[in-house]
Amino acid sequence: MISWTIPAIFSFLFFAFGTTIERFYMGRKVLRPELSVFFVGLLSLFYIIFIPFVDFYVIDPYLFLKTLLVSSFQVGGLFLLYYSLTKFDASSFVPAITAFMPIFSFGAGIFLSNSSVSIAGIVAFLFLLSGSFIVSYHKKIEITKETLFSAFLTSILLSMFFVFSKFVFEESNFWTGFIWINIADFVISSLIIVFYKEARDNLLEIIRKAREAKAKREYYKIKYPLAYGFSKISGGIGSILQLFAVSIAPLQYMGIIQAFQGLEIFFVILFSLLFFKIWKDFPTDIAEDKNLVKRVSGAVLISIGLVIVHLYL
């Protein structure tokens, strides 16, 4: 059977590629948090195209209620994440998330599985967590109480999503559980548009501008939604791989999968350097990062953690 570490690692490669594409075309543009969540839910419907090709079946109402609960954790966590990115500096918020999520997932996984973790598992987790934090940390950041509190709540919700997704997969096969979770994501996120008038107005405005640009053949004006969509496709592939890793990994190792997220930041740096070499108008703050030595040292710690995971877990 395939090792759960392989899809987990490749998931962050696709997440990083999507992030880099979005950054290249959109720069610092950030959608309103409720629209970002809705678009994630809308794109989740894309996965139903796999239904004719995979082992999919209709689940019982009780399990569907579980998927709604799981999805509510994700939608709530994503809303807080996008909201926080509009209120706080990402350079302070992201390192806090990078630290909190693996810890919460690790603790919840051990508690709910009622299983112990080997010494090798703990050592690997500490290497991965330390490396991920170093890769994402900036010296000049100012972490406020508000930033920490927001990161704390966001991390709890997103950690619960990953941990409780495991229970859905245990009661179904991977594709059935995955598709139903994404259907539930669409249902929960759509409630925002249904009950929040301002979100509906903003969505209609985006559609109107895209139509106007298309009618006038001003295609450069619609590059942002196109880039957003393309980045989400890459992120969608990453989501499949990540949740597949969740479905086959022991519950007590959920935190280790989350501790891999430092790889995403490192991959973003590599993709950014590559894009900068090809397109000189690419944002230069990463390509000219003066902390690359520090980031490489963090990547070394992550690599050590990966080797321990591969050899002993």
Side-chain angles (χ1 to χ4, degrees):
M1 186 176 181
I2 187 172
S3 171
W4 54 269
T5 59
I6 295 176
I9 292 171
F10 275 94
S11 70
F12 289 108
L13 179 67
F14 280 98
F15 287 143
F17 185 74
T19 298
T20 310
I21 290 292
E22 186 173 338
R23 177 184 176 79
F24 180 43
Y25 284 103
M26 300 184 68
R28 297 294 183 181
K29 295 178 183 292
V30 179
L31 291 174
R32 293 179 61 89
E34 63 274 9
L35 288 182
S36 294
V37 171
F38 172 72
F39 283 133
V40 169
L42 182 63
L43 290 171
S44 296
L45 282 183
F46 168 81
Y47 298 112
I48 65 176
I49 68 172
F50 293 112
I51 289 177
F53 310 105
V54 298
D55 184 14
F56 174 84
Y57 58 86
V58 177
I59 58 178
D60 62 77
Y62 178 68
L63 184 55
F64 183 65
L65 288 177
K66 280 188 177 181
T67 65
L68 287 175
L69 174 63
V70 169
S71 294
S72 66
F73 285 133
Q74 175 167 243
V75 171
L78 288 177
F79 179 83
L80 279 177
L81 174 64
Y82 294 134
Y83 176 80
S84 299
L85 290 175
T86 65
K87 296 295 181 181
F88 309 116
D89 187 351
S91 62
S92 62
F93 184 74
V94 171
I97 288 283
T98 302
F100 284 146
M101 273 192 66
I103 293 173
F104 293 148
S105 299
F106 197 63
I110 293 174
F111 176 76
L112 293 173
S113 67
N114 196 28
S115 302
S116 60
V117 178
S118 65
I119 297 298
I122 295 175
V123 172
F125 176 74
L126 292 176
F127 270 107
L128 291 167
L129 183 64
S130 301
S132 296
F133 184 77
I134 290 174
V135 166
S136 62
Y137 181 76
H138 294 267
K139 271 188 176 181
K140 296 181 179 179
I141 65 173
E142 295 182 5
I143 301 180
T144 64
K145 291 181 180 179
E146 291 78 10
T147 303
L148 284 176
F149 182 70
S150 182
F152 182 83
L153 289 180
T154 303
S155 298
I156 287 180
L157 290 172
L158 293 178
S159 297
M160 292 303 98
F161 164 70
F162 287 107
V163 171
F164 283 97
S165 292
K166 178 68 175 178
F167 294 118
V168 174
F169 294 130
E170 287 179 346
E171 297 185 40
S172 63
N173 60 55
F174 167 71
W175 281 110
T176 295
F178 178 79
I179 291 173
W180 279 110
I181 286 174
N182 280 279
I183 291 174
D185 284 346
F186 173 72
V187 172
I188 298 295
S189 62
S190 294
L191 296 178
I192 297 174
I193 300 299
V194 172
F195 294 106
Y196 191 16
K197 183 179 183 301
E198 187 175 354
R200 291 199 303 273
D201 293 340
N202 288 325
L203 177 61
L204 292 174
E205 180 67 14
I206 290 175
I207 295 173
R208 183 186 64 79
K209 289 182 178 179
R211 285 177 175 174
E212 288 180 354
K214 183 179 179 181
K216 295 178 181 179
R217 298 183 180 274
E218 295 174 333
Y219 295 110
Y220 66 91
K221 290 186 178 180
I222 63 175
K223 68 178 182 179
Y224 302 119
L226 289 176
Y228 183 83
F230 188 74
S231 70
K232 294 309 175 187
I233 291 174
S234 181
I237 298 173
S239 179
I240 293 174
L241 292 170
Q242 186 178 57
L243 286 180
F244 179 65
V246 168
S247 70
I248 62 177
L251 183 58
Q252 63 268 31
Y253 292 144
M254 292 298 103
I256 292 182
I257 294 177
Q258 291 307 306
F260 285 174
Q261 63 187 303
L263 288 172
E264 179 181 355
I265 300 171
F266 186 67
F267 287 145
V268 166
I269 295 171
L270 294 180
F271 283 131
S272 297
L273 291 171
L274 176 62
F275 281 22
F276 180 67
K277 293 294 183 182
I278 300 174
W279 295 286
K280 296 302 181 182
D281 57 345
F282 187 82
T284 59
D285 54 336
I286 291 183
E288 297 176 352
D289 193 346
K290 297 180 180 179
N291 296 311
L292 285 180
V293 173
K294 179 203 69 174
R295 296 184 186 279
V296 169
S297 66
V300 170
L301 292 178
I302 293 173
S303 299
I304 295 173
L306 289 174
V307 170
I308 296 174
V309 169
H310 179 72
L311 292 178
Y312 298 105
L313 300 186

